[in-house]
Amino acid sequence: MLPTSILVPTDFSLASYHALDYAVALARELKATLHLVHAINLSQPELTATLSDEMFDSLRRGAYLQLERVASSRTGAVFGSMRVFMNDPRECILEVAKAVGAQLIVMGTHGRRGLARLFVGSVTEHVVRFASCPVLSVPQEVTP
């Protein structure tokens, strides 16, 4: 079965934009709807303790506006929901995939290796392991 609902997580990096462009081309061909999600990871308690409710709202609004800009700059695809969460991106992606009935998740990977991967972890790897639908991992575009 070909997907009609595709989730594209973005952290607003070049890798995630490359994956989004790939997803847009795929959605055009399949006549699928794209859903966007961005998660603001607030896993450091010392950081979150210093942020006011207004700052949280500002972060959320700014991220949502960025999602709208990203979507409006890509033509030829139908965009459905756009969601911003303040939580661990790995869990947010899995939750949103279920909520929107995603039949495919398209996400970028930074290609970190060694110590960088050990310390940063891999959101993509987690999603690949635990998603209930196929996940297409798009490597970061290499520039000459």
Side-chain angles (χ1 to χ4, degrees):
M1 168 173 80
L2 294 174
T4 57
S5 178
I6 301 172
L7 177 64
V8 185
T10 181
D11 60 2
F12 305 125
S13 68
L14 290 177
S16 67
Y17 289 153
H18 184 62
L20 177 59
D21 291 338
Y22 193 95
V24 166
L26 189 61
R28 266 190 233 126
E29 290 298 316
L30 299 175
K31 298 188 181 6
T33 300
L34 293 175
H35 304 276
L36 299 178
V37 62
H38 174 74
I40 301 168
N41 192 354
L42 299 174
S43 61
Q44 298 174 335
E46 60 277 359
L47 172 65
T48 57
T50 62
L51 296 176
S52 67
D53 288 343
E54 293 82 22
M55 291 174 172
F56 282 121
D57 289 342
S58 179
L59 283 171
R60 252 189 234 104
R61 276 192 310 274
Y64 189 82
L65 290 173
Q66 185 65 19
L67 285 177
E68 287 182 328
R69 281 191 290 273
V70 165
S72 68
S73 68
R74 268 89 179 161
T75 58
V78 174
F79 284 89
S81 65
M82 290 182 265
R83 300 178 186 201
V84 175
F85 291 92
M86 306 284 245
N87 206 344
D88 184 336
R90 296 171 296 188
E91 296 309 316
C92 291
I93 293 165
L94 296 174
E95 288 173 22
V96 173
K98 286 181 185 174
V100 300
Q103 297 161 323
L104 176 67
I105 300 171
V106 177
M107 57 191 304
T109 181
H110 295 280
R112 291 186 185 99
R113 298 198 191 292
L115 288 177
R117 183 172 173 273
L118 177 66
F119 289 118
V120 175
S122 174
V123 172
T124 303
E125 181 180 348
H126 181 87
V127 172
V128 166
R129 286 184 181 197
F130 296 103
S132 59
C133 66
V135 178
L136 176 60
S137 172
V138 180
Q140 183 170 328
E141 189 172 40
V142 179
T143 56

